C-alpha cells in the first residue's frame, strides 16, 4: 500500500541519492570513550510520541554492538496508545569487560492531553540529572525537590548529554498537543545547551521502495519529504535528521539496517561528546 501511495502521488525515486548512503562505522562506536576522563558514560535521552520506536532504537543499538539480537528494553504493541514505559531507567549495553560507555534513557512517550504521559517538567529535571534511576514517572504530578527519587546533586554522568527526538515516518500526522510538548522539551534542552538530533523511524513501513531495499532510502522522494517536514515543523537542521529502520521482526542482523543506525549513532556520539567537553 505504501508503495502504491508513493507512486501515485509523485515519482518515487531520485536517480541520484540526495545524501550519500552511509556505511556506519561499528569500530568508531565500539571504541568510543568520553573525552573527559571524569565522565563515565555518554547519556543519550530519547523522547517522542508513543510507538515512535524509542525502545526499539535502544534494542537495535544494543543488538548491533553485541553482534546478536538483544531485547533489553520492553517494546510496546504497535497499536498501544498509552505509553508502556513509565519508569526512568538507564539502559546499559553489556560487553566482555563490563558495559559500553554509552547509556540510554527512554522517557515515557509524549501523549495527548495534559495528564497523560510524562510531564514535560519531569523531562527537564531528567535532562539536568535530577531524576534518580528507576523513578516511576507519575503523569498526574511532576517530581519536585525533596521527593523520593529526586537527586539533589547530580554528577556529570547523571546529566543528559544529547537529546534525541524519535519520530515515525509512518504516521499521518502528530497531534498538535504532542507537537507542542515536543517543542517545550526542545526549548528546555536548548536553554541547557544540550545538543539535539532527530531520528526518523519506520522508514520501511512508510515507503515501498525503501522497504524493498533499504539502500534506496536516500533515493526516496517520500522519505526526503518526511525529513523536510521534520526540518520545517519540528525545526531540526536537515543534517541532524537521520532516517533509520529499527530492528522489529528480524531474527538476524542486517548490514543495511546496521549502517543507517550506526551513522545516526556516530553523530549522536560526536555531538554528545562535544557537550561533555564543555562540562
Ligand atoms: N517496521 C518497523 N517497525 C518498528 C520500527 N521501530 C519500531 N517499530 C515497531 O513499532 C512498535 C512500537 O515501538 P516501540 O519501540 O515500543 O516505541 P516507543 O513507544 O517509542 O518505545 C513496535 O511494535 C516495534 O516493533 C521501524 O523502524 N520499523
Ligand atoms: Mg518504549
Amino acid at each position: 500500500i505504501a508503495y502504491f501511495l508513493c507512486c501515485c502521488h509523485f515519482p518515487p525515486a531520485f536517480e541520484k541519492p540526495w545524501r550519500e548512503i552511509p556505511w556506519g562505522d561499528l569500530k568508531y562506536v565500539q571504541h568510543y570513550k568520553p573525552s573527559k576522563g571524569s565522565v563515565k558514560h555518554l547519556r543519550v535521552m530519547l523522547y517522542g510520541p508513543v510507538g515512535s520506536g524509542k525502545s526499539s532504537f535502544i534494542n537495535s543499538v544494543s543488538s548491533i554492538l553485541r553482534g546478536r539480537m538483544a531485547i533489553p528494553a520492553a517494546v510496546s504493541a504497535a497499536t498501544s496508545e498509552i505509553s508502556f514505559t513509565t519508569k526512568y531507567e538507564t539502559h546499559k549495553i553489556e560487553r566482555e569487560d563490563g558495559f559500553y560507555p554509552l547509556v540510554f534513557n527512554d522517557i515515557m512517550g509524549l501523549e495527548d492531553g495534559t495528564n497523560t504521559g510524562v510531564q514535560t517538567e519531569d523531562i527537564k529535571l531528567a535532562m539536568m540529572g535530577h531524576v534518580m534511576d528507576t523513578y516511576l514517572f507519575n503523569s498526574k504530578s511532576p517530581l519536585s525537590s525533596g521527593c523520593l527519587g529526586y537527586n539533589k546533586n547530580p554528577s556529570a554522568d547523571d546529566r543528559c548529554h544529547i537529546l534525541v527526538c524519535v519520530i515515525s515516518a509512518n504516521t499521518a500526522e502528530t497531534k498538535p498537543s504532542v507537537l507542542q510538548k515536543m517543542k517545550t522539551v526542545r526549548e528546555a534542552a536548548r536553554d541547557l545547551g544540550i545538543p539535539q538530533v532527530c531520528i526518523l523511524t519506520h522508514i520501511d513501513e512508510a515507503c515501498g521502495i525503501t522497504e524493498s531495499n533499504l539502500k534506496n532510502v536516500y533515493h526516496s522522494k517520500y522519505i526526503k519529504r518526511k525529513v523536510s517536514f521534520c526540518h520545517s515543523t519540528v525545526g531540526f537542521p536537515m543534517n541532524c535528521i537521520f532516517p533509520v529502520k529499527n530492528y522489529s521482526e528480524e531474527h538476524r542482523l542486517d548490514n543495511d539496517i546496521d549502517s543507517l543506525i550506526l551513522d545516526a549513532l556516530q553523530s549522536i556520539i560526536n555531538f554528545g561528546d562535544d557537550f561533555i567537553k564543555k562540562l
Side-chain angles (χ1 to χ4, degrees):
I1 289 171
Y3 184 63
F4 179 67
L5 286 177
C6 269
C7 297
C8 273
H9 292 306
F10 38 87
F14 295 111
E15 223 173 282
K16 272 192 155 181
W18 56 273
R19 192 185 277 175
E20 278 308 309
I21 313 274
W23 291 104
D25 188 352
L26 179 61
K27 290 241 159 30
Y28 184 89
V29 179
Q30 279 176 330
H31 294 155
Y32 167 72
K33 273 201 194 104
S35 55
K36 243 191 192 172
S38 55
V39 175
K40 282 202 298 281
H41 45 232
L42 185 145
R43 188 180 294 273
V44 180
M45 184 180 284
L46 304 160
Y47 78 108
V50 180
S52 56
K54 297 176 293 298
S55 306
S56 302
F57 184 72
I58 300 176
N59 293 345
S60 300
V61 170
S62 182
S63 300
I64 296 169
L65 289 182
R66 296 182 69 188
R68 65 163 180 85
M69 287 302 170
I71 319 177
V75 169
S76 51
T79 48
S80 159
E81 276 285 316
I82 296 163
S83 61
F84 192 76
T85 318
T86 52
K87 201 196 272 179
Y88 188 66
E89 208 174 351
T90 299
H91 298 278
K92 298 177 179 178
I93 304 173
E94 262 180 61
R95 69 175 176 197
E96 279 157 30
D97 57 346
F99 294 99
Y100 279 96
L102 181 68
V103 301
F104 292 88
N105 287 101
D106 165 8
I107 46 177
M108 206 165 141
L110 296 172
E111 282 153 271
D112 206 12
T114 45
N115 273 341
T116 49
V118 70
Q119 302 235 350
T120 40
E121 273 312 306
D122 277 342
I123 299 179
K124 282 185 212 167
L125 289 177
M127 284 192 268
M128 292 187 275
H130 286 299
V131 180
M132 282 183 185
D133 208 29
T134 73
Y135 172 74
L136 271 178
F137 284 118
N138 180 342
S139 57
K140 299 218 165 51
S141 74
L143 182 63
S144 57
S145 58
C147 286
L148 204 66
Y150 186 91
N151 178 359
K152 276 204 189 94
N153 301 305
S155 68
D157 298 325
D158 297 324
R159 293 176 62 165
C160 152
H161 306 125
I162 173 126
L163 184 71
V164 178
C165 171
V166 183
I167 297 181
S168 166
N170 197 33
T171 45
E173 58 183 66
T174 309
K175 289 182 187 141
S177 62
V178 176
L179 280 175
Q180 184 54 44
K181 280 188 178 184
M182 290 167 67
K183 186 159 173 265
T184 317
V185 174
R186 275 200 318 285
E187 285 168 356
R190 187 198 56 203
D191 294 345
L192 294 167
I194 298 170
Q196 309 180 32
V197 300
C198 175
I199 59 171
L200 192 65
T201 57
H202 293 259
I203 55 171
D204 51 326
E205 289 175 342
C207 166
I209 61 162
T210 308
E211 184 169 38
S212 62
N213 185 352
L214 213 49
K215 286 194 172 72
N216 285 333
V217 56
Y218 291 117
H219 287 274
S220 160
K221 290 193 175 178
Y222 185 78
I223 298 297
K224 174 137 196 236
R225 284 216 321 189
K226 282 284 176 180
V227 171
S228 304
F229 174 83
C230 286
H231 166 64
S232 55
T233 344
V234 193
F236 289 97
M238 288 288 276
N239 59 2
C240 290
I241 305 170
F242 299 90
V244 301
K245 186 223 170 308
N246 284 321
Y247 280 105
S248 51
E249 52 198 32
E250 298 74 10
H251 296 289
R252 287 179 196 286
L253 293 175
D254 172 287
N255 267 331
D256 295 337
I257 296 181
D258 292 2
S259 277
L260 289 176
I261 290 180
L262 285 169
D263 183 52
L265 200 57
Q266 194 165 334
S267 290
I268 289 172
I269 288 177
N270 286 341
F271 298 150
D273 201 69
D274 284 343
F275 182 69
I276 288 180
K277 280 187 201 125
K278 287 190 282 177
L279 283 178

